[in-house]
Amino acid sequence: RRADLLLVELDPEKRVLDLAIVEVKLRSDLAPSARSALYREMAEQTAVTETAFRRLFDPHLYQEERTDGLLRAKELGTALRFYLRRAMRYGLMADDVANEAMAFVEDLESGYRLQMRRLGVLFHLQAEGSHVDEEEPSFPVHRFGLDVARRLLETARRDFKAGAHPREEDGPPSGPPVG
């Protein structure tokens, strides 16, 4: 079982990929006694994802240089370029930032460092407001209720109506490369 989201922040100057591994849950009802077990499960899912990602792409996981290091950097760069182009198409990044990020991603073979953190997001229908729970060590869970979800959706809808949506000439979104 893997986590739901991987949020990537690039620091081309320091050659760092900062990844936030996010597990998302929805619960209509959640007793306080069940919350700890749910948070443990969420933490485990993100830990599995972190381990798998490091095994595949962390150039510093082993003391010796990886024999497949260049291949793995190219593979990671291909996936990141796909999503970076999508972010550009949707206008989620300024052109200068996107161009700098693309140059970094296209040159991962020259080296990079991974930083990873794990977190949870819990949409609790019966709750109100938002809160950060830190019951699991090193695993904050951002819990929010229906009122916050409605505000987030209204903001997204308003932004979309204001023109923050894909450029028509780019065509419809498609899935990641297969292979």
Side-chain angles (χ1 to χ4, degrees), residues 104-118:
F104 172 46
V105 165
E106 289 175 345
D107 188 41
L108 287 182
E109 294 90 355
S110 294
Y112 62 92
R113 190 168 46 87
L114 288 178
Q115 289 180 178
M116 302 180 103
R117 55 202 152 90
R118 303 178 296 124

Side-chain angles (χ1 to χ4, degrees), residues 68-93:
D68 66 347
L70 291 176
L71 178 64
R72 292 299 183 175
K74 183 149 184 71
E75 183 179 7
L76 178 58
T78 298
L80 290 174
R81 276 192 303 278
F82 171 83
Y83 288 105
L84 184 56
R85 284 188 191 109
R86 180 178 275 185
M88 293 165 73
R89 184 171 63 238
Y90 277 80
L92 299 175
M93 302 176 77

Side-chain angles (χ1 to χ4, degrees), residues 38-70:
L38 176 64
Y39 290 177
R40 263 192 312 280
E41 176 188 323
M42 293 169 73
E44 287 171 14
Q45 282 184 261
T46 59
V48 166
T49 300
E50 179 176 3
T51 299
F53 199 92
R54 285 192 184 281
R55 283 185 182 150
L56 287 171
F57 301 116
D58 191 344
H60 307 290
L61 181 63
Y62 307 106
Q63 293 206 332
E64 306 245 340
E65 188 174 328
R66 295 179 68 128
T67 55
D68 66 347
L70 291 176

